[in-house]
Amino acid sequence: MDARDLVRSGKLVRSVKAVGTARGLRSLRAAWQRRRSDAVGLPRRGPELARVPGVVTGADPQPGGGVVRFARSSLRVRVTTGGAVFCGWDGAAPEPSYALVRGCPEVDDRAVLEPDTVGGWRVVSERVTVAVSRLGAVEVRTPGGVMLRRDLPPRWWEPAAAVAGSAPEERDGHGPDGERPAGVGARWQQRSEVAADARFFGLGGRSSGPRLRDGRYRLWNTDPGGAFRPGDDPLSLTVPVQLVVADAGTHLVFHDNSWDGSVTLREGEEGEGSGHDRPGGCWTRMEGGPLRYWVIVGTPARVMHSWASLTGTPAVPPAWALGHHHARWGFGNADEVRRVVAGYRERGLPLSALHLDIDHYAGNRVFTVDTERFPDLPGLATELRGEGVRLVSIVDPAVKAEPGDAVYDSGSAADVFVRDALGLEVRGEVWPGESVFPDFTDPRVRKWWGALYAERLAQGFSGVWHDMNEPVSFGAFGGTTLPRSARHTLEGRGGDHREAHNVYGLTMARAGYEGLRELRPEERPFLFSRSGWAGLQRYGGSWSGDVATGWPGLRASLALVLGLGLSGVPYSGPDIGGFTGSPSPELYLRWFQLGAYLPLFRTHSALSAGRREPWEFGPRVLRFAAAALRERQRLHPYFLTLAQLAGRTGAPYVRPVWWRTPKDRALRDCEDAFLLGDALLVAPVLEEGAEQRTVRLPRGRWYDTVTGVAYEGPGRAVLDAPLSRIPVLARAGSVVPVAGADGGVELEVWTPCPGRKGGGGVLVEDRGDGWEKTEVVRFSTRLRAGEVRVEREDGAEVGHPVRVRGHAPRNGSRGRR
Ligand code: MIG
């Protein structure tokens, strides 16, 4: 293929458009290196043999479950104390794992493996029953015996050479008892069934959704290359975890396998009372790696809590990170930064942080500063800090491959860069030019990398923003990452990029987080990352990546935040206004109003895109954006509380509307609103020109927080959504901690419904940006003789001013079905 063919093939990514330029040639060179390395380093795809487990031959009970033996495989089932159940085929054990926070949780030895009456085996535990059939189907049932999921016997495809000696027909049928053949390198597939009414969520950050419709979702972290639109798949942060919500119950399944793969979903259909339901289907396919998964059953809140126990509770960001951030690629220089910050100050607009993108680097090189454009960055940082604005720095993993570059020199001396199958450093093409890539799957390399953050801290930065860590290497021939044959340490086990790719961003986050903790132990690190995998939340959050400017992008950005939250990563947000081009004033405002209720509240845009400052869209937009900024500031104590709660329980700040009522089918299909914590229901405007919108209400009474009018759920209500605001409702009886006029915390209490049930809320007061112990204070509310009573559940004084809001419903304000 010559250069012209390449252009015609359309496979060149945007950054190598200019074939013939130095960058284009280097990309070609990287592509040739990939080919050569893959030819040597990857097993050749020869003839393959299929295998299924065959018939059951026996079982070995062990604490918490045991091993069920089949003719050609075995299945380990283990119930753990958190309620999560492990299933591992072919001898797969829970460890080693990049997802598990402290290895395999303790075994629940009350759970016992016992034979059932139809020739299979089952494990009964407190929260779930797992039944294994004679041929290796695994059924997950509620304690009441209702089926939630049925995983059919898996199928492997192995290189014939690895299983020489056994004829295919012998292997695929019900053969004699046998040891499993070497399963290394085997592809596998498993089909599962769920209830006809089930809905799928999760799988990491997906642009379509939050409800994942029929289709194939790939598990391979990918820079979409240019801006993405709804439906573009995959994106930067995939997680093989699905949350399935059905009338019979909610369950989570996590395939602990970082290889390339896919999940194909098909929602079921109900036979309208005819009894002929078509169950929902899910096909999980992996290109290699173990077939092992975890199942968690319970309410959504319990499931997410168990998930956080398994993979780690979310890092709590410092308090300032819950304020407003302003970013852009290409501020140009220090004066421009000062102008933007002054623009916020002069208009009385709150601003917490300002982000510097790769353009502040010298020649796009990580851990450098262009001192011509930023002559005194530490001085600038101190100056801004005096106004309450912190600086956040982008950090890219690729290091310019050039002797003399300090990072490159120290890295090559310590041998930290990924090598190919021939032992050569893998060269890629990224923003600084020809680049090499640290192998973050090596603890030694993480330590080396983490120490480099000292330079960022010395420059005055308060937090970091990890980008390009899928990882990206602009390549010719369609490849935009490292060669699959590239070697990785994988904590000493050794392996290649096929296994390491999806955990590259995760392990980079670990390196950054641990580095910051060591360098500045008194502060909670602020880190968010474009790519990641199961467990990213232990180190930080994420953001939407390069969402295309446009109304569909606005919708996609809500889907992403909800999906990431249900995948365990609760702190995220979109580029407000979209990454590319110039949004209309209306679109910008609606995006801004949505962003004000999301954990990461950040305006950002591309080098070539239009401005994103709130005053660039006319006086009306400025007025309304200012109102959104002030409301965000007022809700700061609530956001701090939600961050602390997420850090304890894994409950995302931003939750789907079915969170507390997953049996409400209409809510499972509702994708244009969300719950912010337990108290608020936010209904963003996602349509051009809309000044009213329908809101689907969960059970209970809800007050429009602006008019105070009450609506009864379940049902629908049509609410005003003038340009000045988006509808936000408050649950009757809830307690929302807000900032009072004097800066102290006030409790906004929404009148409970009459009757004995009342309501309540939580306050976790943040005591700074460090590790100070925080206390969870619970309040209960009741309506007694027409009067609202608020009490602290521990009996102590309420200790904060209380403001009661919302009044009893008038006629006509009932929600409609
Ligand atoms: O290939 O650093 O998603 O937020 O502004 C583009 C420049 C690289 C992608 C990030 C975006 C950032 C941009 N980066």
Side-chain angles (χ1 to χ4, degrees):
M1 225 192 234
D2 72 18
R4 245 165 302 130
D5 287 332
L6 259 174
V7 173
R8 259 183 252 122
S9 77
K11 280 186 177 163
L12 282 173
V13 296
R14 64 190 186 286
S15 11
V16 277
K17 264 181 269 169
V19 171
T21 63
R23 169 157 289 173
L25 290 172
R26 285 196 305 264
S27 298
L28 280 173
R29 215 192 304 143
W32 279 314
Q33 187 189 5
R34 170 200 321 274
R35 275 201 173 175
R36 217 159 38 111
S37 168
D38 284 354
V40 177
L42 293 181
R44 221 162 300 153
R45 262 261 171 103
E48 290 176 321
L49 296 174
R51 170 166 63 95
V52 294
V55 79
V56 72
T57 58
D60 310 314
Q62 291 167 356
V67 175
V68 181
R69 280 181 277 107
F70 295 87
R72 280 171 305 278
S73 188
S74 69
L75 171 68
R76 170 177 290 136
V77 181
R78 184 187 290 175
V79 180
T80 64
T81 47
V85 182
F86 176 80
C87 295
W89 282 97
D90 267 2
E95 294 179 76
S97 162
Y98 274 105
L100 304 183
V101 63
R102 274 179 297 272
C104 183
E106 227 178 282
V107 165
D108 179 354
D109 42 29
R110 292 169 304 176
V112 213
L113 184 68
E114 55 194 26
D116 68 13
T117 53
V118 284
W121 292 80
R122 66 176 186 193
V123 182
V124 181
S125 78
E126 199 184 330
R127 277 161 74 173
V128 59
T129 295
V130 177
V132 183
S133 82
R134 282 182 67 240
L135 293 175
V138 180
E139 242 181 63
V140 176
R141 303 184 191 134
T142 64
V146 183
M147 199 263 271
L148 293 175
R149 184 184 192 90
R150 181 156 199 265
D151 298 314
L152 298 166
R155 183 175 288 258
W156 293 265
W157 285 270
E158 285 150 326
V163 286
S166 52
E169 57 276 13
E170 231 183 78
R171 307 176 28 72
D172 212 355
H174 299 189
D177 245 46
E179 270 297 286
R180 72 180 186 94
V184 188
R187 300 185 289 125
W188 56 261
Q189 173 183 321
Q190 186 165 37
R191 182 158 79 84
S192 311
E193 288 174 1
V194 298
D197 67 289
R199 296 286 183 254
F200 299 96
F201 300 88
L203 295 181
R206 302 285 166 177
S207 63
S208 55
R211 168 183 157 201
L212 299 174
R213 295 217 171 35
D214 294 4
R216 178 172 170 271
Y217 298 87
R218 191 172 168 203
L219 299 164
W220 186 253
N221 294 342
T222 304
D223 169 20
F228 68 84
R229 293 182 168 67
D232 287 355
D233 190 89
L235 301 178
S236 302
L237 202 172
T238 68
V239 187
V241 66
Q242 48 180 277
L243 195 66
V244 187
V245 187
D247 285 356
T250 299
H251 74 271
L252 173 153
V253 171
F254 167 57
H255 283 93
D256 193 351
N257 179 322
S258 63
W259 287 60
D260 195 357
S262 67
V263 173
T264 304
L265 300 176
R266 197 181 62 172
E267 291 180 343
E269 259 167 37
E270 286 177 289
E272 300 298 331
S274 68
H276 297 298
D277 289 355
R278 178 169 64 77
C282 166
W283 289 257
T284 307
R285 297 186 178 89
M286 291 288 185
E287 291 298 316
L291 201 185
R292 57 177 183 182
Y293 57 100
W294 291 87
V295 184
I296 304 174
V297 173
T299 62
R302 277 194 81 166
V303 165
M304 290 311 293
H305 196 166
S306 297
W307 176 242
S309 312
L310 198 63
T311 62
T313 49
V316 179
W320 58 266
L322 292 164
H324 177 57
H325 305 236
H326 188 82
R328 97 160 280 124
W329 180 6
F331 276 125
N333 58 37
D335 285 335
E336 172 70 4
V337 166
R338 285 197 184 90
R339 262 200 299 280
V340 169
V341 173
Y344 274 89
R345 186 198 330 119
E346 284 155 12
R347 293 171 180 86
L349 307 174
L351 178 67
S352 252
L354 191 122
H355 296 214
L356 297 187
D357 206 325
I358 51 170
D359 52 285
H360 88 279
Y361 291 161
N364 290 335
R365 299 174 192 213
V366 67
F367 301 121
T368 66
V369 173
D370 180 337
T371 48
E372 255 170 46
R373 290 183 297 121
F374 292 87
D376 176 19
L377 197 46
L380 178 67
T382 312
E383 183 187 321
L384 298 183
R385 186 64 191 276
E387 304 187 35
V389 179
R390 325 258 166 158
L391 282 181
V392 172
S393 169
I394 195 162
V395 175
D396 283 1
V399 172
K400 177 149 179 119
E402 192 177 82
D405 179 290
V407 180
Y408 179 72
D409 285 349
S410 101
S412 358
D415 189 17
V416 302
F417 300 118
V418 175
R419 292 181 179 277
D420 70 9
L422 301 160
L424 304 169
E425 272 176 2
V426 171
R427 298 289 169 107
E429 180 65 17
V430 202
W431 297 114
E434 187 168 50
S435 302
V436 287
F437 302 84
D439 179 10
F440 298 112
T441 67
D442 183 339
R444 205 173 50 80
V445 177
R446 289 198 291 269
K447 207 141 181 64
W448 167 79
W449 181 261
L452 296 173
Y453 287 55
E455 182 272 343
R456 293 287 90 183
L457 295 180
Q459 294 290 355
F461 288 106
S462 300
V464 292
W465 157 31
H466 286 182
D467 189 21
M468 305 296 280
N469 49 1
E470 290 77 7
V472 183
S473 167
F474 306 141
F477 307 109
T480 56
T481 191
L482 306 189
R484 298 165 90 84
S485 57
R487 305 294 308 164
H488 287 269
T489 303
L490 291 160
E491 314 308 310
R493 278 175 283 129
D496 62 40
H497 199 64
R498 293 175 300 172
E499 183 178 353
H501 177 83
N502 282 333
V503 295
Y504 194 82
L506 174 74
T507 49
M508 177 186 176
R510 177 169 179 190
Y513 179 85
E514 288 175 351
L516 289 171
R517 284 213 57 174
E518 206 167 309
L519 292 163
R520 191 181 275 173
E522 67 286 359
E523 275 181 39
R524 305 201 290 274
F526 177 59
L527 183 158
F528 68 113
S529 168
R530 192 165 75 178
S531 187
W533 201 65
L536 177 69
Q537 71 276 4
R538 303 191 288 259
Y539 317 115
S542 186
W543 90 102
S544 67
D546 305 344
V547 59
T549 296
W551 292 90
L554 172 60
R555 201 172 272 274
S557 53
L558 174 56
L560 264 147
V561 174
L562 276 162
L564 285 169
L566 295 176
S567 306
V569 183
Y571 181 92
S572 73
D575 290 352
I576 290 172
F579 185 63
T580 51
S582 295
S584 69
E586 183 193 356
L587 175 60
Y588 173 81
L589 179 62
R590 292 313 199 183
W591 219 316
F592 202 93
Q593 289 167 330
L594 166 63
Y597 295 93
L598 300 177
L600 171 62
F601 178 27
R602 186 180 82 143
T603 33
H604 179 55
S605 64
L607 194 55
S608 56
R611 307 300 309 182
R612 293 290 186 274
E613 291 77 20
W615 54 87
E616 296 284 351
F617 300 86
R620 245 163 53 105
V621 169
L622 173 58
R623 195 146 39 89
F624 302 151
L629 280 164
R630 279 195 299 274
E631 179 60 6
R632 170 66 174 230
Q633 204 174 28
R634 200 182 71 92
L635 288 175
H636 199 235
Y638 187 50
F639 272 96
L640 295 176
T641 297
L642 295 179
Q644 293 281 350
L645 291 178
R648 284 169 164 82
T649 68
Y653 322 26
V654 168
R655 308 168 185 174
V657 282
W658 44 259
W659 181 255
R660 279 170 56 163
T661 48
K663 284 191 176 30
D664 184 331
R665 292 186 176 190
L667 290 181
R668 298 210 287 261
D669 290 346
C670 165
E671 303 181 280
D672 60 1
F674 60 92
L675 295 171
L676 180 62
D678 263 344
L680 301 180
L681 171 59
V682 182
V685 173
L686 305 173
E687 263 164 50
E688 188 170 7
E691 299 235 341
Q692 245 194 2
R693 59 154 291 178
T694 303
V695 183
R696 204 164 255 295
L697 303 171
R699 185 176 66 209
R701 179 178 297 171
W702 295 88
Y703 298 100
D704 182 322
T705 53
V706 166
T707 62
V709 172
Y711 299 87
E712 299 291 329
R716 279 179 304 169
V718 178
L719 297 184
D720 283 341
L723 257 194
S724 58
R725 62 182 175 89
I726 57 173
V728 177
L729 297 117
R731 189 191 297 273
S734 63
V735 178
V736 186
V738 298
D742 62 350
V745 173
E746 253 178 45
L747 302 179
E748 188 170 85
V749 175
W750 292 88
T751 304
C753 295
R756 55 190 176 82
K757 247 195 114 198
V762 177
L763 166 66
V764 188
E765 271 191 281
D766 208 296
R767 312 213 178 276
D769 292 330
W771 303 95
E772 301 80 3
K773 224 172 125 49
T774 53
E775 193 195 351
V776 180
V777 179
R778 290 175 198 285
F779 300 97
S780 63
T781 60
R782 255 174 322 149
L783 188 65
R784 245 233 203 118
E787 212 187 298
V788 176
R789 299 260 187 108
V790 184
E791 275 163 20
R792 251 179 85 137
E793 282 188 350
D794 60 6
E797 284 289 303
V798 168
H800 296 277
V802 169
R803 219 150 51 86
V804 176
R805 302 194 53 193
H807 42 71
R810 296 201 198 94
N811 290 342
S813 60
R814 279 193 81 80
R816 283 171 314 201
R817 203 57 213 175

